[in-house]
């Protein structure tokens, strides 16, 4: 049987046992409220200082915010989302030709998580993942189908990369770090992760994506109109309401480390939907593998010593993947003694 959920979900007669999470860790039938409290920040606001303060406050209190009037054209986003959805509607053999469980592959399709072969319970999700930047290095590995995929994703990824760099520059200014701190090896990698969650006959038994934090600097997420994303705030899960023409931005572990704990990478998860497919596109801005990550020296002093060590990003990523992103232990080896 094909591994991709999108290739076989329509044929399900009995819900597969290896997708049923233990009672204590499954979503259940608990209703999570859609929150109006998650900050929505207008990046076209004339008062730059005010915008920076809003971003920092959101990063400290939520680890998540949404941005509107962000400068990425609606047309670019719509075209990219169109080909993402078309990709997962293709014939099984076309999608499966890119299937790989090798995490080192530049472009691949897989299902559930990067640890499918060893995980006990599978998530109700397919994923298309590839590097986006530098384009001239990676675009040759992208899918050739749908026919406009490379054209549309190239256009969108360029604009998203510019937005991510702009947000990081605002953050560096707000933290009091030098301008351009995040340029170069700290933000040279842009990884695209397209998540597709087919309609699920038993969404109370399984996860689209179970709770985790993102390993990189920041994540720029394009949601479609179907709700699914939830964020942990003060010990309670709240739903992130999709807003038209908005991006969800969240703090990754590396930004938490560089800010010496001032900005927080918070747990989030995705629930499945019984009647609608959901597709989202996450752009992970992250350091190069040999990039050095450490608390910014401008933020540490005798009364505020470094919380974390200095390390190469590949060291963190290797450990993170070996622990399946387990948020209980992901940061432990990188804390200062």
């Amino acid at each position: 049987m094909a591994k991709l959920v999108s290739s076989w979900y329509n044929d399900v007669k009995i819900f597969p046992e290896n997708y049923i999470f233990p009672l204590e860790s499954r979503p259940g039938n608990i209703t999570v409220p859609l929150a109006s409290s998650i900050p929505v920040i207008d990046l076209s606001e004339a008062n730059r200082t005010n915008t920076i303060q809003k971003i920092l406050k959101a990063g400290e209190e939520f680890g998540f915010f949404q941005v509107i009037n962000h400068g990425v054209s609606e047309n670019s986003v719509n075209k990219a989302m169109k080909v993402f959805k078309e990709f997962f509607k293709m014939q099984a053999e076309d999608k499966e030709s890119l299937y790989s469980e090798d995490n080192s592959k530049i472009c691949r399709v897989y299902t559930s998580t990067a640890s499918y072969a060893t995980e006990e319970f599978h998530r109700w999700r397919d994923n298309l993942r590839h590097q986006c930047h530098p384009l001239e290095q990676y675009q040759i590995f992208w899918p050739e189908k749908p026919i406009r995929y490379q054209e549309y994703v190239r256009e969108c990824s360029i604009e998203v990369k510019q937005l991510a760099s702009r947000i990081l520059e605002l953050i560096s200014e707000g933290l009091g770090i030098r301008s351009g701190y995040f340029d170069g090896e700290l933000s040279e990698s842009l990884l695209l992760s397209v998540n597709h969650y087919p309609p699920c006959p038993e969404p109370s038994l399984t996860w689209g994506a179970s709770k985790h934090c993102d390993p990189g600097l920041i994540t720029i997420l394009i949601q479609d109109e179907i709700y699914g994303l939830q964020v942990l705030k003060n010990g309670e899960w709240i739903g992130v309401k999709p807003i038209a023409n908005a991006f969800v931005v969240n703090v990754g572990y590396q930004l938490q480390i560089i800010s010496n704990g001032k900005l927080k990478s918070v747990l989030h998860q995705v629930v499945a939907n019984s009647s609608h497919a959901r597709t989202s596109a996450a752009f992970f801005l992250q350091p190069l593998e040999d990039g050095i990550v450490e608390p910014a020296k401008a933020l540490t002093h005798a009364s505020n010593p470094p919380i974390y060590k200095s390390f190469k990003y590949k060291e963190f990523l290797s450990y993170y993947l070996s622990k399946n992103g387990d948020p209980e232990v992901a940061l432990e080896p990188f804390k200062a003694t």
Side-chain angles (χ1 to χ4, degrees):
M1 184 179 77
K3 285 185 177 176
L4 295 176
V5 181
S6 56
S7 297
W8 55 258
Y9 78 95
N10 267 326
D11 300 323
V12 169
K13 299 295 188 292
I14 300 175
F15 197 71
E17 286 190 12
N18 55 359
Y19 283 84
I20 301 175
F21 276 69
L23 184 61
E24 67 277 7
S25 60
R26 67 181 62 158
N29 295 309
I30 299 173
T31 300
V32 172
L34 285 176
S36 58
S37 56
I38 292 177
V40 179
I41 299 171
D42 186 346
L43 291 183
S44 69
E45 183 180 359
N47 190 326
R48 181 180 177 90
T49 300
N50 196 35
T51 299
I52 290 171
Q53 289 174 347
K54 289 178 180 177
I55 290 174
L56 289 186
K57 184 178 180 181
E60 292 175 32
E61 296 182 0
F62 282 87
F64 266 77
F65 54 95
Q66 299 203 59
V67 292
I68 57 174
N69 298 320
H70 40 64
V72 179
S73 73
E74 183 179 354
N75 187 47
S76 290
V77 172
N78 290 342
K79 288 190 297 185
M81 289 298 286
K82 177 176 180 289
V83 292
F84 294 150
K85 293 177 181 181
E86 286 176 356
F87 178 89
F88 288 103
K89 290 179 181 177
M90 292 194 306
Q91 294 295 316
E93 56 268 24
D94 289 326
K95 293 179 289 187
E96 303 271 348
S97 67
L98 293 172
Y99 188 92
S100 175
E101 294 176 19
D102 180 358
N103 195 53
S104 67
K105 288 201 70 171
I106 292 172
C107 177
R108 68 189 180 110
V109 178
Y110 62 93
T111 194
S112 186
T113 73
S115 304
Y116 179 87
T118 57
E119 66 190 13
E120 188 174 1
F121 305 102
H122 301 321
R123 283 70 170 168
W124 195 264
R125 175 189 79 153
D126 292 338
N127 184 275
L128 167 63
R129 179 170 294 216
H130 61 71
Q131 289 282 353
C132 286
H133 184 79
L135 280 164
E136 61 276 10
Q137 180 177 346
Y138 294 118
Q139 188 175 335
I140 58 173
F141 298 101
W142 293 2
E144 296 180 356
K145 296 179 181 180
I147 195 165
R148 308 297 290 274
Y149 183 93
Q150 295 195 12
E151 174 190 348
Y152 290 169
V153 177
R154 176 186 176 91
E155 179 182 331
C156 184
S157 66
I158 290 172
E159 294 187 38
V160 169
K161 177 69 165 61
Q162 292 170 344
L163 171 62
S165 297
R166 178 184 171 197
I167 292 172
L168 284 175
E169 183 65 15
L170 292 170
I171 288 173
S172 65
E173 185 175 330
L175 290 174
I177 312 174
R178 64 174 172 79
S179 176
Y181 182 90
F182 292 102
D183 294 347
E185 65 179 21
L186 280 179
S187 63
E188 191 67 17
S189 174
L190 184 66
L191 176 67
L192 170 62
S193 177
V194 183
N195 304 290
H196 182 71
Y197 311 92
C200 179
E202 298 288 351
S204 66
L205 301 181
T206 193
W207 289 104
S210 47
K211 62 182 180 180
H212 66 284
C213 294
D214 293 344
L217 273 175
I218 60 170
T219 303
I220 309 288
L221 177 73
I222 305 173
Q223 293 201 89
D224 65 12
E225 67 279 3
I226 305 301
Y227 158 73
L229 177 63
Q230 299 176 348
V231 176
L232 190 66
K233 177 71 164 69
N234 295 332
E236 296 185 357
W237 290 100
I238 54 178
V240 181
K241 182 178 181 180
I243 298 175
N245 305 321
F247 288 122
V248 177
V249 181
N250 66 279
V251 174
Y253 277 136
Q254 306 314 300
L255 186 54
Q256 177 174 320
I257 290 166
I258 290 169
S259 70
N260 205 37
K262 185 176 179 64
L263 305 181
K264 303 295 191 296
S265 184
V266 302
L267 290 170
H268 50 288
Q269 62 191 18
V270 178
V271 292
N273 188 291
S274 62
S275 55
H276 295 90
R278 179 177 183 269
T279 303
S280 66
F283 290 87
F284 300 111
L285 195 70
Q286 55 192 15
L288 294 177
E289 288 195 350
D290 284 326
I292 301 297
V293 180
E294 60 187 359
K297 290 181 171 56
L299 303 179
T300 60
H301 43 77
S303 59
N304 186 41
I307 300 173
Y308 304 99
K309 302 175 183 177
S310 175
F311 55 88
K312 288 185 177 182
Y313 181 58
K314 65 182 178 184
E315 297 169 3
F316 178 91
L317 193 58
S318 176
Y319 182 80
Y320 176 90
L321 293 173
S322 73
K323 300 298 182 182
N324 299 323
D326 184 347
E328 298 294 327
V329 299
L331 289 173
E332 284 305 313
F334 306 96
K335 291 180 178 177
T337 54

